[in-house]
Amino acid sequence: MGSVKKQGDYMAIQVDERLQHIAFIMDGNGRWAKKHGMPREYGHSVGASTFEKVVRYCGDVGIKTVTVYAFSTENWKRPEVEVKAIMLIFGEYLKKAAKKADEYGLRVVFLGDKRVFPENIAKDMTALEIATAKHPLTLNIAINYGGRDEIVHAVNTLIGMGKTSITEDDISAHLYTAHCPPPDLIVRTGAEKRLSNFLLWQSAYAELYFCDTLWPDMSEAEIDAAIEDFYKRKRRFGGV
Ligand code: FPP
């Protein structure tokens, strides 16, 4: 961790090459809504604003790749009204995403199988990926994403290519994240301490940070705390 740079009225930490990729499990929207006497859908809506704030801040502190877990392959099991609300919020985000991505220099990549989405949404997702492909920072949005599903998908792709023996590099190269380095730091809000099928392959040597903050309350100060904690860790990647 290097210098401290003034960002408006906030002093932002600046990271170095040791922290290139940060990933977030955005947990706690439902509990936050309950705490405020509101329906769960409202928590997701506020959570979406928090997501935009967090992505922007990570860019400000010099992190080149941000990944967020927006919707898992298991989240379809939630009540229909909640799933519909999340998809509506996502659709709204897609409408303004190209402009925001231009403004912040973000390349947007979706992790997960797009084929489950309505055709117009899937088309907008692909269009956004193409339109932002040359931007310097990367934002991965994991949506309809599952870590196990991703590994199976990679292996099936390799089988389809006629491979009869595969290496770790082969699998890494066929994950949804083939375009970026693995996460250095995974942050989970909402007090639970598990990965919930997120980046299972890529998290092999990631540092994990768990906090009680509910996602809609995620702040710049909490991100700074996670970064400071990360820099205290000794990363050995299996060596001594
Ligand atoms: C987990 O909280 C959150 C989700 C499953 C959905 C996250 C979605 C968003 C932040 C909005 C859409 C995203 C984008 C990219 C625009 P939870 O519902 O499990 O909370 P709980 O554990 O308190 O019930």
Side-chain angles (χ1 to χ4, degrees), residues 152-176:
V152 170
H153 176 265
V155 171
N156 278 328
T157 304
L158 290 161
I159 292 170
M161 290 162 61
K163 288 251 184 196
T164 51
S165 164
I166 56 176
T167 63
E168 291 190 8
D169 284 348
D170 287 331
I171 294 191
S172 297
H174 290 85
L175 296 174
Y176 295 122

Side-chain angles (χ1 to χ4, degrees), residues 26-32 40 43-45 47-48 51 68-72 75 78 82 86 89-90 93 141 143 190 192 214-215:
M26 309 186 284
D27 195 16
N29 291 346
R31 278 165 286 161
W32 185 91
R40 294 179 59 81
H44 295 312
S45 165
F51 146 75
V68 293
Y69 202 6
F71 197 82
S72 75
N75 285 153
R78 293 188 175 210
E82 183 171 344
I86 295 175
I89 292 166
F90 178 57
Y93 170 72
I141 301 180
I143 187 154
E192 305 288 1
L214 302 173
W215 178 257

Side-chain angles (χ1 to χ4, degrees), residues 28 40 60 75 81 90-91 130 135 137 139 186 203 214 229 232:
R40 294 179 59 81
D60 286 345
N75 285 153
V81 58
F90 178 57
I130 294 168
H135 288 163
L137 305 177
L139 167 62
I186 298 179
S203 62
L214 302 173
D229 197 70
K232 287 187 198 139

Side-chain angles (χ1 to χ4, degrees), residues 35-54:
K35 203 172 116 184
H36 290 82
M38 299 297 279
R40 294 179 59 81
E41 296 72 42
Y42 181 68
H44 295 312
S45 165
V46 178
S49 306
T50 304
F51 146 75
E52 291 192 44
K53 175 184 80 177
V54 166

